[in-house]
Amino acid sequence: MILATAAVLSACTANHQKVLVLYYSQTGATKAVAERIASELGADIEAFDVENPYDGDFQQTIQRCMEEQQSNALSPLKALESNISDYDVIFLGYPVWFGVAARPVFSLVNEVKFEGKKIVPFCTFGSGGLESSSDNLKELLPDAEFIEGYGVRNARIAKAPAEIEKFLVKAGFKDGEVEELPEFSECRDVAEADQAVFNAACGSYEMPLGEPVAVSERAVPGGKEYLFTTAALDMAGQPVQTTIYVLAPDGGTPEFTKVVR
Ligand SMILES: Cc1cc2nc3c(=O)[nH]c(=O)nc-3n(C[C@H](O)[C@H](O)[C@H](O)COP(=O)(O)O)c2cc1C
């Protein structure tokens, strides 16, 4: 359903671009982010879906995706209510599934033209996938102009509103000021104190995130941000390195914000 958000008469940003927030969400996390972006911008918003929705549980969805990936099957898109050609900017939202956008996004980009549009990807995920899913979408939509997007772990969804506001200001969609952050320090070996931060942030995550082998850090408002490099073996037994961002608020529990593979 298309909804014009309250108290805003036109779906325009400060620089008069018409914005649509178009999203898919299976379990509600991406919906929450989409609604926040739309209300921040006073943009139109539409949830899209496919004709044969993914309404099974987690395991059923995983199973269906794997089968569809093997057979290259895509459910047809349910017709959109919005007319994409009416908009300059599309905020395209989705959960990350297997490192790329959820399958309904593939149905969308297969069937709808986005040539010449500015696309701002945004996503939610268990551990990460903004970078890999955005790169994949850029390949699928070579005639669209991509703007660096926003992603948040579903476990940190409560932190999203403040992050979204900063993201929209930084990307030029909202007026305001965002503090420039310092560069990360030089990479160093992992000391005992770093290991304790890593364990507190990542130790209880349900999937193995590897062992930290190097770290750098920087000051951020209200705490420190760490950049850990971890080493692990992939499913084929090959060594892989992963980058994990950890936020350690002063006096609070560290949490990882994203894993970049
Ligand atoms: C089929 C499937 C595959 C997933 N793959 C990933 C993944 O590769 N990486 C990740 O961090 N999270 C993954 N997740 C977790 C979802 O991205 C996460 O739960 C998301 O916030 C769900 O968003 P939604 O509530 O809007 O549907 C996967 C979930 C499902 C159902």
Side-chain angles (χ1 to χ4, degrees), residues 2-181:
I2 307 176
L3 290 173
T5 41
V8 182
L9 293 177
S10 76
C12 295
T13 58
N15 48 4
H16 305 299
Q17 299 184 96
K18 247 198 132 194
V19 179
L20 174 67
V21 177
L22 184 61
Y23 72 96
Y24 170 75
S25 181
Q26 187 194 36
T27 56
T30 311
K31 179 175 192 271
V33 174
E35 287 174 346
R36 188 71 190 195
I37 293 173
S39 81
E40 286 278 350
L41 297 178
D44 289 344
I45 179 167
E46 179 173 358
F48 67 91
D49 208 338
V50 286
E51 293 285 0
N52 178 14
Y54 293 79
D55 50 11
D57 65 18
F58 182 74
Q59 277 314 327
Q60 287 167 331
T61 307
I62 298 266
Q63 187 61 35
R64 178 175 162 188
C65 284
M66 291 197 305
E67 286 165 12
E68 288 181 348
Q69 276 172 350
Q70 268 183 351
S71 60
N72 244 335
L74 280 178
S75 175
L77 186 74
K78 269 190 200 154
L80 295 183
E81 291 186 22
S82 317
N83 190 352
I84 296 299
S85 61
D86 290 346
Y87 296 92
D88 306 299
V89 182
I90 315 290
F91 279 71
L92 178 55
Y94 51 84
V96 171
W97 285 2
F98 300 109
V100 292
R103 288 192 72 73
V105 175
F106 289 81
S107 301
L108 176 83
V109 300
N110 226 6
E111 295 184 39
V112 177
K113 298 239 171 301
F114 289 97
E115 275 99 336
K117 301 297 170 192
K118 281 188 185 146
I119 308 275
V120 190
F122 66 95
C123 55
T124 66
F125 39 74
S127 60
L130 171 66
E131 295 77 7
S132 51
S133 61
S134 301
D135 288 349
N136 178 249
L137 283 173
K138 283 179 203 165
E139 281 175 25
L140 295 172
L141 297 173
D143 300 323
E145 180 192 339
F146 274 79
I147 291 172
E148 200 177 312
Y150 169 73
V152 62
R153 289 183 59 216
N154 52 14
R156 298 184 64 254
I157 205 84
K159 313 277 169 55
E163 292 184 357
I164 288 167
E165 187 173 1
K166 279 190 196 156
F167 163 69
L168 293 174
V169 170
K170 225 174 144 195
F173 290 102
K174 262 199 89 169
D175 290 337
E177 275 180 31
V178 179
E179 197 177 317
E180 272 296 317
L181 297 178

